Amino acid sequence: TAKGLTVIKKPLEDFAADSYDVVSAMNVLSHVARPVGFYAALGRIVRPGGCIWMSTGNAADIPMQEAPGRFDLPDHLVFAGRRHVYTIFHRMGFHVKSYQEFKH
């Protein structure tokens, strides 16, 4: 238990199907080598009618002329943006209920 939450550390494949109403993946997408497989695994453990709540940076949508310089983020395997999120989720048959962008 961490800060009142139970933390379970095990591979996604070890979770039973349809186990959770909500699965959260905050700022995980850019660190996953195979995003489609990762989100498919999350979709498997979410109950029908459930929700995957996720956030990610949108470096892929930054126009080159507005980029802050070279991105030197070795732990980031994927840079995604709006079209990537929609493509991944629609490919898996999921519905994107809401998409919000936050500007710094």
Side-chain angles (χ1 to χ4, degrees):
T1 302
K3 298 188 179 190
L5 299 173
T6 301
V7 177
I8 303 169
K9 183 179 178 181
K10 64 182 179 179
L12 287 172
E13 297 78 25
D14 291 351
F15 286 91
D18 304 331
S19 300
Y20 297 92
D21 293 318
V22 177
V23 174
S24 173
M26 308 307 286
N27 296 311
V28 174
L29 176 61
S30 59
H31 302 279
V32 178
R34 294 180 185 85
V36 173
F38 175 74
Y39 283 97
L42 293 184
R44 185 187 67 77
I45 65 173
V46 173
R47 289 185 180 117
C51 173
I52 297 174
W53 184 271
M54 57 93 61
S55 70
T56 189
N58 65 342
D61 291 338
I62 299 173
M64 289 301 289
Q65 63 271 21
E66 294 178 24
R70 184 176 187 287
F71 289 109
D72 187 18
L73 304 166
D75 62 328
H76 287 66
L77 306 175
V78 176
F79 288 103
R82 175 187 291 260
R83 70 185 162 91
H84 301 101
V85 171
Y86 274 86
T87 297
I88 289 169
F89 281 84
H90 286 260
R91 184 180 297 170
M92 295 183 308
F94 295 160
H95 170 72
V96 177
K97 195 168 193 174
S98 175
Y99 183 98
Q100 295 177 324
E101 291 186 14
F102 301 95
K103 303 290 181 182
H104 295 286

